[in-house]
Amino acid sequence: MKVGIYPGSFDPITLGHLDIITRSSKVVDKLIIGVLYNSAKNALFSTEERVGMIKQVTSHIPNVEVDSFSGLLVDYAKMKNANIIVRGLRAITDFEYELQIAQANHKANPEVDTIFFTTNVEYSYVSSSIAKEFARYGSDVSQIVSPIVIEKLNEKFNHSEK
Ligand code: PNS
């Protein structure tokens, strides 16, 4: 059984992430979405909130499982019997960073390979940070996050609706 992990902060999940999840879930038997629990990082949403949102927006994809992890990704992959790590690439700047991490992870555990999906062009500018920044000031983010996530962002920023 081919098990893949799509790791990330997902603070919050965007339509760009969802696109990568949809496409990568077709090339593995099971895709585990691993939400990084990182107490040092200043996240807007708690790990539980991030996991909850991802569960809601991926509920229609049967082979997706949502989980959280802390520590090294390669250790988590081993624990989950996963030997594929999925990452999305938006631009060459992503590639420079991702290449180094993929090589370090492969060195640490040669059983684990990283596969990259190029982001759909319509989401090439999308990031969780952009979604948060626009939502903070009440701007429309319906092109970059799911309705469920818009609701949660509005709650965080005390906007009644948008
Ligand atoms: O969504 P992000 O923040 O770009 O995801 C980064 C993530 C979670 C994939 C990366 O930080 C990670 O794998 N962290 C776990 C710790 C680890 O394994 N570090 C070694 C590689 S940097």
Side-chain angles (χ1 to χ4, degrees):
M1 175 149 137
K2 242 185 285 172
V3 181
I5 293 184
Y6 181 36
S9 304
F10 304 106
D11 185 40
I13 183 165
T14 67
L15 293 181
H17 291 131
L18 192 54
D19 173 53
I20 302 289
I21 292 166
T22 306
R23 288 156 58 206
S24 62
S25 65
K26 292 177 187 155
V27 304
V28 291
D29 298 304
K30 180 162 87 172
L31 182 70
I32 300 168
I33 305 176
V35 179
L36 179 69
Y37 171 80
N38 185 351
S39 55
K41 214 170 169 181
N42 230 345
L44 176 65
F45 292 99
S46 68
T47 311
E48 292 72 26
E49 288 173 316
R50 286 180 274 154
V51 166
M53 282 184 275
I54 301 169
K55 279 188 176 161
Q56 288 191 64
V57 300
T58 60
S59 60
H60 60 289
I61 313 175
N63 62 334
V64 162
E65 188 182 300
V66 191
D67 190 20
S68 60
F69 76 101
S70 55
L72 283 180
L73 176 58
V74 281
D75 293 340
Y76 176 64
K78 199 171 190 172
M79 190 183 89
K80 290 286 181 178
N81 287 321
N83 48 14
I84 297 168
I85 292 170
V86 171
R87 292 288 286 171
L89 292 176
R90 288 167 300 191
I92 196 79
T93 41
D94 279 349
F95 177 72
E96 282 176 13
Y97 170 73
E98 295 293 339
L99 174 68
Q100 190 184 19
I101 292 177
Q103 287 172 332
N105 284 340
H106 185 70
K107 192 85 183 157
N109 184 352
E111 298 290 308
V112 174
D113 269 301
T114 301
I115 60 172
F116 295 103
F117 282 77
T118 52
T119 300
N120 216 313
V121 279
E122 65 190 289
Y123 305 127
S124 60
Y125 68 96
V126 173
S127 70
S128 300
S129 306
I130 286 195
K132 283 182 282 192
E133 194 67 359
F134 277 80
R136 182 187 301 276
Y137 297 104
S139 188
D140 175 26
V141 287
S142 59
Q143 301 295 307
I144 58 178
V145 291
S146 306
I148 289 156
V149 176
I150 295 178
E151 233 175 79
K152 298 284 176 197
L153 282 165
N154 285 338
E155 274 171 36
K156 282 280 174 201
F157 296 128
N158 288 317
H159 301 313
S160 49
E161 64 178 56
K162 205 162 264 175

